[in-house]
Amino acid sequence: MGSVRSSNKVVLLAVVVLLAIASVEKFAHGANILCLMAVPSPSHHIWNRVLVDALAAQGHNMTVVSPDIELKPKPNVTYIHLEKTYDTIHEGATAIDFYEMGQSSILESMKIFYSYGTSMCIGILASKGYQTIKNYPSDFKFDLVLYDFSCGPCLLAVYHKFGQPPMIGVTGFNTPPYTTDLIGGHKYYAYVPYYTLDYDTNMNFFQRFYNAFLHWADYFYRNYVFLPETDRIVREHEKTKDLPYLADLDQKMMLMLVNSHHSVDFPEPTPQNMIQVGGLQIIPPKPLAADLDRFIRAGKKGSVLFSLGTNVLSKDLGPNRIKAFLKAFAQMPAYNFLWKFESDLPYDIPPNVMIKKFLPQNDILAHPHIKAFMTHGGLLSTHEATWHGVPMIGIPVIADQYRNVAKSIRAGVSEKISLWDMTTEKIRNTVLKVLETPRYREAMSVRSGLFRDQPETPLERGVWWVEWALRHPNAKTIQSPTLDLGPWKSELYDVKLCLVVAVLFVLYLLRKVSKALFSKSAQSGKSKKKVH
């Protein structure tokens, strides 16, 4: 009889264990994940898409709300198109001119960046896709939200609609200065340059002063101009009274994935819930199309890839710059040049130049005959060139591109061409310097080794942390307490002020005592004179 009872207990325990395992498996390998990817930028979409597809391959159901969609999405991925977003960025009164941004002062370009976020939000709210996700039943169950926070909280009314499930922030935009506002931690302006500055970590006094000023200016403009304006636009559209302030919803994320790695980017103090997945978009290269492979191999000394990315377009360079590039390429016949150019060219194309509206950048950079990469210096491009060991010629235009290129120059893996005063001669000489000086490739080989030497790929790390959040949706131990403490306590301003007051009080007492002693000494001297 006792053995029967014991057997029943064992069976019951086994059933409980199996149910627990099944419950964990359900969340780790079959969750409903809502992806709020508001940023109208193909490069952000490339970065986000790789993570989305990897999670879908794990069996998760991905609902992606985005200005960018895939015509043939992977299994388990559903796109909801925010179709008006690009229109507001590129057309009418809300249009953003990236070349104008590139020639503006740093403070002006900061305002243009946030204007980009405002234009983005106007386009999002005007999209049919936004209404589509808003029409989902409010009790529709999403287990997790992935949220690209790079350009503001415009989509967070959707997050609120579905009951504020656990949220992970993601960004392909390095480690923006406002990450500490969202998940806490510390940002030290003494050695972390503002993202549009080409400073190094070892700044002199005036550079540190200017750097701190820009960070503070960004903080105040974002928190007292941009975020209130975004909140007002969304609140007027939603016409609801129970919507929390969007900037407060911004701080709900339990952790964030950032596009950063020490081999390429600046060393920063990171809280435990900031997960560095720099290069997440780099996946094993696919074979190239036959015409591309033939052209690359045909270069007598090798071939060069030229792309200005997805936001600043080659077709907008203007006739003089386009002709300067073509003439320079023609003067280097030993090399073939692949140029990502978004329209047909009305000029004669040299025989060693191939023009394509789209080029598979990661796959081309992995080709052994690619000897250099002419790039705008965007972070994804810098990471991909570094991973594949290809030295660069940087042509920065906007935002963090100047900082990325300057850091690559200091690392000995790149040279720079200024877009604003380029000539055929400068282009030719700079490109040949990188191509025919071995130290650039040698330095890039060292940098690439540091980037590749990781215990797992950045993508695997990102997927693991997303599934960790699914397994532990209420975990608080990983979160920084600085958001609750506020800057007054977390930066020890109260303690520092107390110390300053204490020192001033001691100095005050010393002054009073010395004054009293001096006065007493003077009186004693007068008394002695009277006696004599």
Side-chain angles (χ1 to χ4, degrees):
M1 193 72 177
S3 64
V4 172
R5 286 178 181 171
S6 178
S7 297
N8 288 341
K9 287 180 179 178
V10 170
V11 170
L12 182 60
L13 180 61
V15 170
V16 169
V17 170
L18 287 172
L19 286 173
I21 292 173
S23 176
V24 170
E25 288 293 308
K26 172 181 177 291
F27 282 105
H29 297 286
N32 286 329
I33 300 178
L34 175 62
C35 305
L36 301 177
M37 307 302 190
V39 183
S41 168
S43 59
H44 276 255
H45 174 63
I46 290 167
W47 199 84
N48 293 329
R49 181 189 62 203
V50 172
L51 179 61
V52 166
D53 289 350
L55 289 166
Q58 292 290 98
H60 302 297
N61 301 307
M62 313 298 292
T63 302
V64 186
V65 183
S66 173
D68 295 276
I69 61 171
E70 295 296 309
L71 297 178
K72 294 181 180 179
K74 296 291 178 66
N76 300 333
V77 181
T78 300
Y79 280 95
I80 297 175
H81 192 199
L82 300 173
E83 78 285 351
K84 294 289 186 182
T85 316
Y86 276 103
D87 293 343
T88 59
I89 292 297
H90 295 300
E91 299 173 9
T94 56
I96 303 297
D97 187 328
F98 290 111
Y99 281 99
E100 179 187 343
M101 183 179 180
Q103 298 178 77
S104 301
S105 68
I106 290 182
L107 283 176
E108 188 61 30
S109 66
M110 179 194 299
K111 290 175 64 178
I112 294 173
F113 172 80
Y114 286 118
S115 296
Y116 179 86
T118 304
S119 297
M120 174 196 84
C121 193
I122 292 169
I124 286 172
L125 299 178
S127 298
K128 293 178 181 177
Y130 184 79
Q131 202 54 50
T132 299
I133 189 64
K134 289 292 290 184
N135 286 340
Y136 271 45
S138 295
D139 58 355
F140 191 92
K141 173 73 170 163
F142 284 111
D143 302 301
L144 186 78
V145 170
L146 293 181
Y147 157 53
D148 189 336
F149 62 88
S150 308
C151 292
C154 185
L155 277 176
L156 289 190
V158 177
Y159 166 70
H160 177 65
K161 171 187 170 66
F162 294 111
Q164 300 183 18
M167 181 166 67
I168 295 177
V170 299
T171 181
F173 180 34
N174 200 249
T175 309
Y178 41 84
T179 55
T180 50
D181 299 340
L182 307 181
I183 62 167
H186 301 271
K187 183 82 74 172
Y188 291 112
Y189 312 148
Y191 58 87
V192 180
Y194 188 68
Y195 69 90
T196 55
L197 292 175
D198 59 3
Y199 295 166
D200 197 5
T201 52
N202 187 21
M203 295 176 268
N204 62 39
F205 172 79
F206 297 103
Q207 289 174 329
R208 283 184 284 116
F209 187 93
Y210 187 47
N211 185 52
F213 167 74
L214 289 176
H215 275 96
W216 292 329
D218 187 287
Y219 173 85
F220 281 104
Y221 194 87
R222 184 175 191 275
N223 284 280
Y224 297 104
V225 179
F226 171 67
L227 289 177
E229 176 67 5
T230 302
D231 184 83
R232 181 191 65 79
I233 293 170
V234 174
R235 200 170 295 277
E236 286 180 0
H237 182 272
E238 295 297 303
K239 295 181 172 60
T240 180
K241 294 181 179 178
D242 72 337
L243 180 65
Y245 183 51
L246 294 182
D248 292 338
L249 293 178
D250 237 350
Q251 297 180 340
K252 296 285 186 178
M253 61 182 74
M254 61 188 298
L255 58 90
M256 66 167 57
L257 308 180
V258 298
N259 192 23
S260 176
H261 187 267
H262 67 82
S263 64
V264 177
D265 308 301
F266 287 87
E268 295 193 35
T270 56
Q272 290 194 359
N273 57 342
M274 179 184 285
I275 313 302
Q276 294 184 323
V277 290
L280 174 145
Q281 84 285 0
I282 303 171
I283 57 178
K286 300 172 185 174
L288 294 175
D291 63 331
L292 286 177
D293 185 64
R294 278 195 306 271
F295 184 79
I296 291 172
R297 292 181 183 278
K300 294 176 184 177
K301 289 187 176 181
S303 294
V304 177
L305 174 62
F306 179 22
S307 171
L308 291 180
T310 56
N311 291 315
V312 177
L313 305 180
S314 292
K315 70 182 182 66
D316 296 328
L317 282 168
N320 291 337
R321 294 192 186 99
I322 293 169
K323 290 176 183 177
F325 278 115
L326 292 174
K327 287 179 183 177
F329 298 157
Q331 293 173 11
M332 295 179 278
Y335 297 94
N336 280 358
F337 292 83
L338 293 91
W339 189 356
K340 186 185 83 67
F341 203 96
E342 301 77 19
S343 64
D344 295 327
L345 270 174
Y347 312 114
D348 292 334
I349 309 297
N352 67 329
V353 176
M354 176 183 278
I355 301 292
K356 289 280 188 179
K357 293 180 181 178
F358 170 78
L359 289 170
Q361 180 170 293
N362 182 63
D363 303 333
I364 291 173
L365 288 171
H367 198 290
H369 286 260
I370 290 293
K371 302 304 180 184
F373 181 25
M374 298 177 68
T375 171
H376 61 309
L379 194 59
L380 271 64
S381 295
T382 303
H383 282 162
E384 289 168 18
T386 301
W387 187 272
H388 296 297
V390 180
M392 297 176 288
I393 298 95
I395 311 169
V397 183
I398 57 171
D400 62 331
Q401 296 166 10
Y402 289 93
R403 189 174 79 162
N404 298 337
V405 170
K407 197 168 194 306
S408 293
I409 292 171
R410 286 191 292 269
V413 301
S414 179
E415 286 294 337
K416 176 184 171 183
I417 298 173
S418 173
L419 190 67
W420 317 115
D421 62 356
M422 65 170 51
T423 63
T424 296
E425 185 181 10
K426 286 181 180 178
I427 295 169
R428 184 194 66 240
N429 291 346
T430 306
V431 172
L432 285 176
K433 182 180 180 182
V434 172
L435 285 169
E436 301 189 350
T437 308
R439 65 179 173 85
Y440 292 98
R441 184 164 286 273
E442 291 165 1
M444 185 58 101
S445 179
V446 172
R447 197 188 210 194
S448 179
L450 290 172
F451 196 11
R452 284 173 170 264
D453 193 1
Q454 303 185 43
E456 70 278 302
T457 67
L459 179 58
E460 289 169 344
R461 189 180 313 124
V463 169
W464 189 91
W465 276 104
V466 171
E467 293 189 332
W468 179 90
L470 286 167
R471 294 191 297 270
H472 307 284
N474 300 312
K476 301 292 183 186
T477 54
I478 198 172
Q479 296 178 350
S480 170
T482 54
L483 283 181
D484 293 328
L485 289 173
W488 184 250
K489 293 181 181 177
S490 65
E491 298 290 347
L492 292 177
Y493 290 139
D494 53 348
V495 174
K496 292 170 184 174
L497 180 61
C498 181
L499 289 173
V500 169
V501 170
V503 169
L504 290 175
F505 182 68
V506 169
L507 291 174
Y508 171 77
L509 288 179
L510 289 173
R511 183 172 180 274
K512 292 286 285 185
V513 169
S514 61
K515 194 174 181 180
L517 290 173
F518 179 77
S519 176
K520 188 175 181 181
S521 175
Q523 289 178 0
S524 176
K526 288 179 181 179
S527 299
K528 288 178 179 179
K529 285 181 181 179
K530 287 180 181 179
V531 172
H532 289 292

